[in-house]
């Protein structure tokens, strides 16, 4: 791990927690994923259909049934981050570069290849690994309006999207943000897995529990002042819905800053609509998140767990080659059963974005 502001690392040595996945746990989850894939291959029907969203009832049932077979050491390795950094790296599931085939040119191509018996290689197998791990620690879910409602998202550079504030970009800095900050049902835990990263492209991480704010800044930022709008990956239908103001930060215990949580996405927050005092407090928070920022360059087989209520994440710029060798991550949103949301969020409309939650009935 290295600090984005390396000259300040000595003054603020915020370490990201690391955990080792026991070898037997890694072998167990891959073997279980293999058995599920083999069983599905023997199931009548079009494989392209049951891998399209990964919500097929037979697949969901097999994952729910299989999770109990996984060793407790796997659940322990993938539990939510426990340090104030709000992030954990889990090393490492054995993978090889050859097993996944070339990096696709976009998420839709990746999803199509997963349903093609001739081309899907091990990428679909890894989708099942991701779902098994996510189900072992909570409730995996997706969004109907994002990547076709697929439960496992593919994060890779896509031609024509280089300058967007989305996971498909590359040329620009992906600004630090809370995942799906606009929605009351956003993930508690974000799980990213690295399939390929030959250029050591870094994921940035900053925790609200490591910033320094005055009492007045905390008061301003905890007051619902501005809305957060859906990002570009959800299209532009949000204009039909009211945009409720939300707090930027809050504390579980009003007098304990160590319990601070945040919803933060400056690229999709209309800051010009706020008064100068709020904008100054928001700018100070932004500077603090930069000050405590670290960069994690994941290696193949490594997982990054981000507490989406505590830490923001982004990505450094890089130059995509589009030659089949570019960075390729997979992502799963996870809701943690032990962690609720603020009661006030129940009134939010989520801009009409619908959660895809096939595990909920069995949770």
């Amino acid at each position: 791990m290295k600090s984005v502001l390396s000259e300040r690392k000595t003054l603020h040595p915020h370490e990201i927690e690391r955990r080792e996945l026991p070898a037997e746990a890694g072998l167990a989850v891959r073997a279980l994923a293999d058995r599920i894939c083999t069983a599905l291959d023997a199931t009548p029907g079009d494989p392209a259909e049951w891998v399209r969203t990964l919500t097929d009832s037979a697949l969901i049932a097999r994952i729910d049934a299989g999770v109990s077979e996984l060793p407790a050491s796997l659940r322990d390795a993938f539990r939510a981050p426990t340090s104030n950094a709000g992030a954990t790296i889990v090393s490492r599931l054995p993978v090889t570069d050859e097993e996944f085939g070339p990096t696709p040119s976009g998420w839709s191509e990746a999803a199509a290849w997963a349903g093609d018996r001739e081309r899907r290689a091990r990428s679909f197998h890894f989708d099942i690994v991701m779902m098994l791990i996510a189900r072992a620690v909570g409730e995996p879910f997706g969004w109907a309006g994002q990547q076709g409602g697929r439960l496992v998202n593919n994060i890779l550079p896509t031609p024509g999207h280089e300058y967007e504030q989305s996971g498909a970009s590359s040329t620009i800095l992906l600004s630090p943000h809370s995942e799906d900050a606009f929605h009351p049902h956003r993930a508690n835990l974000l799980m990213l897995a690295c399939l390929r990263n030959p250029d050591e492209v870094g994921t940035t991480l900053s925790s609200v529990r490591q910033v320094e704010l005055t009492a007045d800044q905390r008061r301003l930022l905890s007051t619902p002042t501005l809305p957060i709008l859906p990002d570009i990956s959800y299209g532009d239908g949000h204009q039909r819905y009211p945009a409720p103001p939300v707090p930027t930060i809050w504390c579980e215990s009003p007098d304990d800053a160590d319990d601070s949580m945040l919803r933060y996405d400056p690229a999709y927050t209309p800051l010009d609509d706020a008064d100068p005092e709020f904008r100054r407090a928001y700018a100070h928070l932004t500077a603090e998140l930069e000050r405590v920022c670290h960069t994690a360059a994941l290696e193949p087989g490594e997982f990054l767990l981000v507490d989406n209520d505590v830490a923001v994440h982004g990505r450094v710029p890089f130059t995509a080659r589009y030659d089949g060798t570019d960075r390729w991550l997979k992502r799963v949103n996870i809701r943690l059963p032990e962690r609720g949301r603020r009661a006030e969020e129940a009134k939010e409309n989520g801009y009409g974005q619908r959660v895809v939650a096939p595990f909920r009935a069995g949770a």
Side-chain angles (χ1 to χ4, degrees), residues 194-202 297-300 326-329:
C194 179
L195 274 61
R196 178 174 294 133
N197 191 17
D199 302 308
E200 298 185 335
V201 177
L298 296 179
E299 298 181 3
D326 284 318
R327 176 182 185 254
W328 184 3
L329 306 184

Side-chain angles (χ1 to χ4, degrees), residues 249-263:
I249 63 172
W250 65 95
C251 294
E252 290 286 272
S253 304
D255 299 323
D256 188 356
D258 285 342
D259 283 340
S260 293
M261 295 187 176
L262 85 168
R263 292 174 74 171

Side-chain angles (χ1 to χ4, degrees), residues 256-275:
D256 188 356
D258 285 342
D259 283 340
S260 293
M261 295 187 176
L262 85 168
R263 292 174 74 171
Y264 177 85
D265 195 346
Y268 294 96
T269 300
L271 290 166
D272 290 343
D273 294 344
D275 61 48

Side-chain angles (χ1 to χ4, degrees), residues 10 68 75 101 111 114 155 157 159-160 165 167 194 206 235 242 252 302 304 307 311 337:
T10 302
S68 61
R75 289 182 178 81
I155 309 300
Q165 282 296 314
C194 179
S206 303
E252 290 286 272
E302 286 190 329
L304 176 64
D307 188 324

Side-chain angles (χ1 to χ4, degrees), residues 99-139:
E99 67 181 288
F100 298 112
T103 302
S105 62
W107 73 263
S108 56
E109 185 173 59
W113 287 2
D116 184 337
R117 285 192 172 97
E118 300 300 319
R119 302 196 68 174
R120 70 179 183 229
R122 302 287 286 184
S123 175
F124 173 59
H125 164 96
F126 209 87
D127 289 339
I128 304 305
V129 168
M130 294 279 287
M131 290 178 67
L132 285 165
I133 294 172
R135 186 54 174 156
V137 297
E139 179 199 343

Side-chain angles (χ1 to χ4, degrees), residues 168-191:
S169 68
S170 52
T171 304
I172 62 168
L173 173 77
L174 181 60
S175 298
H177 61 283
S178 308
E179 190 74 8
D180 303 314
F182 72 94
H183 206 286
H185 301 313
R186 63 198 176 280
N188 302 119
L189 183 65
L190 191 67
M191 183 169 71

